[in-house]
């Protein structure tokens, strides 16, 4: 009987953790970092106990379906026209680079010596792409 009681107490602790996260209004990632609990463990518990603690979960459609609904292409990739101005100094073979993470799981690798205005225009063009 003790094992069943321990199991029920653990289940109740999990429900309370999910209810506390939901009441906090934070993202699951932020809550896991704040409390020190595993994000993936909380995520599993959220799926298992959501209904019991009054959380309504909605699932997003796959990306291809989202794009089709929006009237976009079936691929998340797009060709973006970018104008590249001639550089005053040729780039050396050992140029240091930086990776910039953009929305939509895009990333851009640029030379660290790139001018701010050029970088701003480039990011703007990429971000406006579908």
């Amino acid at each position: 009987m003790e094992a069943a009681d321990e199991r029920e107490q653990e289940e109740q602790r999990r429900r309370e953790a999910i209810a506390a996260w939901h009441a906090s209004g934070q993202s699951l990632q932020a809550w896991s970092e704040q409390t020190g609990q595993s994000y993936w463990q909380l995520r599993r518990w959220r799926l298992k106990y959501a209904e019991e603690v009054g959380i309504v979960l909605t699932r997003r459609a796959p990306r291809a379906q989202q794009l089709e609904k929006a009237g976009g292409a079936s691929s998340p990739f797009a060709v973006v026209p970018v104008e590249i101005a001639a550089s005053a100094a040729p780039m050396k073979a050992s140029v240091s680079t930086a990776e910039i993470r953009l929305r939509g799981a895009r990333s851009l690798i640029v030379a660290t010596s790139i001018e701010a205005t050029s970088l701003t225009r480039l990011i703007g063009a990429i971000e406006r792409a579908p």
Side-chain angles (χ1 to χ4, degrees), residues 87-109:
S87 175
M91 295 179 91
K92 298 176 186 170
S94 62
V95 173
S96 80
T97 60
E99 181 176 0
I100 301 168
R101 304 248 173 168
L102 305 172
R103 288 185 294 227
R106 299 175 183 177
S107 65
L108 178 65
I109 299 174

Side-chain angles (χ1 to χ4, degrees), residues 5-121:
D5 289 340
E6 286 179 22
R7 210 175 357 215
E8 181 54 40
Q9 287 176 351
E10 179 63 20
E11 296 265 325
Q12 185 61 34
R13 186 184 71 75
R14 292 173 180 180
R15 283 186 205 94
E16 289 169 0
I18 294 304
W21 156 72
H22 186 62
S24 77
Q26 293 181 316
S27 70
L28 197 59
Q29 182 69 43
W31 180 256
S32 71
E33 290 171 4
Q34 179 183 332
T35 61
Q37 292 180 295
S38 163
Y39 168 79
W40 294 104
Q41 187 177 55
L42 286 169
R43 191 169 170 195
R44 280 191 305 272
W45 295 352
R46 180 188 62 180
L47 291 172
K48 184 173 182 179
Y49 302 113
E51 191 174 314
E52 293 177 39
V53 296
I55 299 172
V56 177
L57 295 179
T58 56
R59 299 210 184 260
R60 288 187 293 182
R63 181 73 176 141
Q65 288 177 358
Q66 291 174 357
L67 289 169
E68 286 174 17
K69 261 189 184 176
S74 61
S75 171
F77 303 102
V79 176
V80 180
V82 177
E83 181 181 328
I84 300 176
S87 175
M91 295 179 91
K92 298 176 186 170
S94 62
V95 173
S96 80
T97 60
E99 181 176 0
I100 301 168
R101 304 248 173 168
L102 305 172
R103 288 185 294 227
R106 299 175 183 177
S107 65
L108 178 65
I109 299 174
V110 296
T112 55
S113 61
I114 190 169
E115 294 178 19
T117 54
S118 298
L119 180 59
T120 302
R121 285 179 33 221

